[in-house]
Amino acid sequence: MTDMMTYPDVVNLAVPFFIAAILIELTWIAVKGRGGRYETRDAVTSLVMGAGSVASGILLGFIAWGFFMVLWQITPLDLGTSWWVVLLCFVLDDLRYYWVHRFGHRIRWVWASHVNHHSSQHYNLTTALRQTWSGTFTFMMVMRAPLILLGFHPAMVLFAGGLNLIYQFWIHTEAIGKLPRWVEAVMNTPSHHRAHHGRNPRYLDCNYAGVFIIWDRMFGTFVPEIESDKVDYGLVHNLGTFNPLRVAFHEWIGMLRDMTQPGLTLRERVKYAVLPPGYSHDGSRQTSEQIKEDHLRANPKDRGTPGFS
Amino acid sequence: MPLHILGPMVVIGVIGVAILLHLMGLSKRLRFDESTARAAWLRHFPDASVRTVHVAPDGHAALIHSTDGPGIVWAMGADSAARFVQGARPEQRPDRLVLHFRDIGTPTIRLAVPAALQDDWLKEIGPL
Ligand SMILES: [Zn+2]
Ligand SMILES: [Zn+2]
């Protein structure tokens, strides 16, 4: 395979489709009077975050691309471009996505980038576009290294990642209930991903899947959406701003302030970056485990139900 | 897709959706009464029981005295946000009381409290 190989930049090509789908969802909600909520400033913030994310990809994408091309020079393996290689690449890249996303919720350094995707209290198709501007600084591109070293061309790996992102667009909706059993068993669906966006104690740190929900079932992070525990979208501590710059960078700045406050040991400073969100050296904050424990103390009947293992 | 097409499409798309949503009446801010303010507070801080609720004159915010200290719950578009007020720097403007925080995610809370009532509010909030 040569470096001449090109795959379309699928995410950019999908923009007209995104806009059309948003208008369709909005019409559906207006006509039916159910199936989701829109609010002007929330939606505009989401759309601007999406545009900024594409812009940051155009500006900073060369860093990851350069890294991938170095790996491609090093590796002696080349799997070529047959259809089954592309398919395999897509499935393995989805496994890659699962772990990047899991780290995104369990390592504050990565959460600082991912948090903005969860910063809306709404859940509609615009929420899907609320994507990070600072992914490059998480260094999570290393998670793609194994794929490239195995002989999947970097362009193919990025193509697979783009398709993965596009798949995740349509699941950000309340207009679609539960799908047939086999779909819910194998695929990430609106229902599964609604749970992922929940700030309810039950739904914290679940359903990291991109396309295939099987990874969550395999690695023990699956929690079904439960009718009696309606998903409350957003962050444990919801933001008091719609300013896209603040939404994009608030957690980075918060983390750096925590790390650089006076009187900490080096160990504590590092912990603020690598432990889960909610860690504090003085116990003044709560991690998701502590939030779940508190909830169970107040609601003992929930013990042993999904999300409270 | 070439940038000279993608760029304008995104700009027009965002502005178009914004205008459409606004015309559909979806820019309305949440309003509280005493019981919805209480419920909104507990949604954010389930462990901090509510003692008293003071709804702001315009209904878009409320001062909460909770078992964990005083805080504000206020409208964020159609939804709400809440936080404790410790560490806030108050600023009195003719038509509103502004609380500033050293917090990138919540830099300010604007309370539509007229000048005549601001001292009462600040007294009610207590030491910051
Ligand atoms: Zn997430
Ligand atoms: Zn999502």
Side-chain angles (χ1 to χ4, degrees):
Chain A
M1 192 190 326
T2 70
D3 294 347
M4 297 284 288
M5 190 183 87
T6 55
Y7 284 95
D9 189 348
V10 280
V11 176
N12 290 2
L13 285 176
V15 168
F17 158 75
F18 290 157
I19 297 173
I22 286 166
L23 295 177
I24 292 169
E25 187 193 34
L26 191 53
T27 311
W28 172 270
I29 293 170
V31 171
K32 294 273 174 181
R34 60 179 166 83
R37 302 186 304 133
Y38 271 79
E39 194 268 333
T40 309
R41 277 182 300 170
D42 172 83
V44 169
T45 301
S46 292
L47 296 175
V48 171
M49 296 307 297
S53 177
V54 170
S56 100
I58 292 169
L59 290 173
L60 298 173
F62 73 93
I63 297 175
W65 181 253
F67 170 63
F68 296 152
M69 289 317 287
V70 170
L71 297 176
W72 187 244
Q73 301 300 321
I74 294 171
T75 185
L77 304 176
D78 184 346
L79 289 170
T81 56
S82 47
W83 67 268
W84 67 268
V85 172
V86 180
L87 190 69
L88 184 63
C89 181
F90 182 76
V91 174
L92 291 177
D93 183 67
D94 193 51
L95 175 61
R96 184 274 316 170
Y97 179 87
Y98 170 88
W99 281 103
V100 168
H101 192 190
R102 187 162 170 175
F103 293 156
H105 283 263
R106 301 297 295 162
I107 300 172
R108 194 170 173 207
W109 183 275
V110 192
W111 171 245
S113 159
H114 182 58
V115 59
N116 79 77
H117 181 63
H118 290 276
S119 62
S120 172
Q121 299 189 45
H122 289 250
Y123 190 78
N124 56 47
L125 289 177
T126 66
T127 314
L129 304 180
R130 200 177 267 242
Q131 293 287 338
T132 183
W133 296 4
S134 53
T136 303
F137 306 115
T138 64
F139 310 122
M140 281 295 113
M141 60 269 232
V142 299
M143 297 291 286
R144 282 186 160 126
L147 283 173
I148 293 162
L149 294 173
L150 277 171
F152 296 99
H153 190 278
M156 189 193 298
V157 173
L158 290 186
F159 177 66
L163 289 182
N164 198 307
L165 210 62
I166 290 173
Y167 176 86
Q168 292 184 49
F169 174 73
W170 75 276
I171 63 179
H172 288 84
T173 183
E174 293 184 284
I176 299 173
K178 293 210 177 182
L179 295 168
R181 282 264 288 280
W182 74 267
V183 183
E184 298 285 348
V186 180
M187 307 300 289
N188 194 10
T189 60
S191 175
H192 297 329
H193 201 62
R194 282 195 287 271
H196 175 69
H197 276 256
R199 57 187 288 286
N200 323 38
R202 178 192 304 283
Y203 299 128
L204 296 176
D205 297 338
C206 77
N207 300 4
Y208 300 116
V211 174
F212 301 113
I213 197 69
I214 50 171
W215 311 121
D216 284 284
R217 296 183 190 276
M218 274 172 63
F219 299 120
T221 48
F222 176 68
V223 175
E225 182 189 30
I226 290 177
E227 216 168 301
S228 60
D229 197 357
K230 191 176 176 317
V231 181
D232 179 14
Y233 304 106
L235 299 169
V236 169
H237 298 293
N238 279 311
L239 295 183
T241 179
F242 287 113
N243 179 333
L245 284 169
R246 291 184 181 277
V247 173
F249 298 114
H250 71 98
E251 185 68 11
W252 285 107
I253 294 169
M255 180 181 70
L256 291 174
R257 277 184 182 165
D258 285 339
M259 292 175 72
T260 54
Q261 63 187 298
L264 295 190
T265 65
L266 180 63
R267 234 184 127 74
E268 286 168 334
R269 291 182 204 285
V270 174
K271 279 181 175 177
Y272 269 113
V274 299
L275 289 189
Y279 160 80
S280 56
H281 70 285
D282 57 1
S284 60
R285 299 177 204 167
Q286 287 189 305
T287 61
S288 56
E289 288 85 356
Q290 291 164 324
I291 293 169
K292 284 174 192 254
E293 261 320 305
D294 273 10
H295 175 88
L296 287 177
R297 215 167 295 132
N299 306 272
K301 64 173 183 357
D302 282 346
R303 195 174 289 280
T305 62
F308 297 112
S309 49
Chain B
M1 187 179 304
L3 266 181
H4 69 272
I5 296 175
L6 185 64
M9 185 161 64
V10 166
V11 172
I12 292 168
V14 174
I15 294 173
V17 169
I19 293 172
L20 183 64
L21 290 175
H22 189 71
L23 293 179
M24 289 172 75
L26 296 171
S27 308
K28 284 199 206 87
R29 292 175 69 204
L30 185 65
R31 264 174 193 284
F32 299 104
D33 58 30
E34 207 175 301
S35 85
T36 55
R38 183 185 295 265
W41 174 267
L42 289 173
R43 180 180 151 239
H44 294 280
F45 299 107
D47 300 329
S49 306
V50 176
R51 288 194 174 128
T52 61
V53 179
H54 272 69
V55 179
D58 68 350
H60 292 313
L63 167 63
I64 305 285
H65 279 292
S66 80
T67 46
D68 290 1
I72 304 280
V73 57
W74 74 102
M76 277 297 294
D79 304 285
S80 66
R83 67 166 292 149
F84 291 98
V85 291
Q86 283 104 338
R89 181 174 62 77
E91 181 197 357
Q92 293 183 258
R93 298 264 190 90
D95 57 337
R96 59 182 184 270
L97 182 59
V98 185
L99 300 177
H100 297 273
F101 295 92
R102 191 171 176 274
D103 177 348
I104 305 292
T106 304
T108 52
I109 304 176
R110 293 181 190 83
L111 301 168
V113 176
L117 296 175
Q118 288 176 6
D119 286 337
D120 290 351
W121 266 69
L122 283 172
K123 206 190 296 162
E124 189 62 41
I125 291 172
L128 291 168

